[in-house]
Amino acid sequence: MFTGWQATTADQGLRDSNRAYVHSTSFRFVHYGAKNESGRTQWSVSPLIENTGNTGTRGMLMNSVISSAGDPDFDSLEKTAFAPALILPKSELTGAVSSMDGRGLDPLRGGGLIAMGIITYADIFGDLHLVQFCHRAQFGPIDWEGVPAGQPLRIRGIACETHNCEDNECGADWQARATAVASRRPEGSNMRREAAAQR
């Protein structure tokens, strides 16, 4: 019995140390020199989604939004379309993109800009995971016209009071919800995945 317990513990340790870990706690602000009709630099703002684990994600689906008003509406977010994605180990990608100039961003710097999202993915062991994130951008004065084009700014997010969770932290029904989202994967992606598995 003790040997069986040791084997189970070792297997869980192997899984924990080698799986993907996906989360989002910050924003990416970047511009490429484009100006709007008022002559101001137009910035792209996105949640930055990271995989800090040692392996990539599999079958990942994500849905995120950037908003400047109201409370997070996760019920609506969970019902809308999810996009296929992949994050390699120790790497990152951006979620939903919002475009605005500095005059629009300045009034939001005390937490008025919110990013939220839902992500499902499987790790290399085939275990399904559910992640929810919600954070508000908090930043000081920025020279919106002086930052070089193509030089991204990483802006920290202050966590919302709710909807920052992984797996069982997201509620007793997290597995059913993750499975429901995963089942909505576009057919073309499933076909590609199945073809790769048959090779």
Side-chain angles (χ1 to χ4, degrees):
M1 186 178 288
F2 180 71
T3 304
W5 177 82
Q6 281 183 313
T8 301
T9 303
D11 178 65
Q12 191 58 50
L14 177 70
R15 287 171 179 260
D16 291 345
S17 62
N18 287 291
R19 55 160 282 204
Y21 285 93
V22 176
H23 56 92
S24 177
T25 59
S26 58
F27 294 78
R28 182 177 183 258
F29 289 20
V30 66
H31 79 88
Y32 298 102
K35 306 281 186 180
N36 62 17
E37 62 278 356
S38 302
R40 296 185 181 88
T41 299
Q42 200 70 11
W43 285 78
S44 293
V45 180
S46 304
L48 197 58
I49 300 164
E50 303 175 76
N51 175 10
T52 55
N54 291 321
T55 53
T57 60
R58 292 185 174 184
M60 179 173 161
L61 292 173
M62 59 181 264
N63 191 6
S64 61
V65 67
I66 294 269
S67 174
S68 58
D71 293 323
D73 184 0
F74 271 80
D75 289 337
S76 295
L77 191 63
E78 200 159 343
K79 293 172 185 170
T80 55
F82 280 66
L86 167 71
I87 313 182
L88 298 174
K90 310 294 185 188
S91 61
E92 59 195 29
L93 57 77
T94 54
V97 178
S98 181
S99 183
M100 59 187 81
D101 64 22
R103 190 169 67 172
L105 286 164
D106 273 334
L108 304 174
R109 67 188 190 194
L113 189 66
I114 185 170
M116 59 180 173
I118 301 171
I119 301 167
T120 64
Y121 67 96
D123 58 34
I124 60 165
F125 303 101
D127 296 328
L128 191 62
H129 300 281
L130 174 70
V131 173
Q132 290 184 349
F133 67 85
C134 178
H135 48 80
R136 298 178 181 272
Q138 188 135 13
F139 52 96
I142 294 174
D143 178 6
W144 301 111
E145 303 302 320
V147 177
Q151 179 178 305
L153 303 177
R154 188 182 183 115
I155 306 295
R156 71 187 180 104
I158 303 300
C160 303
E161 291 183 6
T162 58
H163 298 296
N164 284 291
C165 59
E166 179 185 47
D167 296 349
N168 60 347
E169 298 170 351
C170 298
D173 64 341
W174 76 270
Q175 287 180 311
R177 288 163 51 216
T179 302
V181 170
S183 70
R184 292 158 56 186
R185 188 167 181 81
E187 186 178 337
S189 300
N190 279 336
M191 289 168 61
R192 286 194 298 271
R193 187 174 53 186
E194 287 168 7
Q198 289 171 1
R199 287 185 198 137

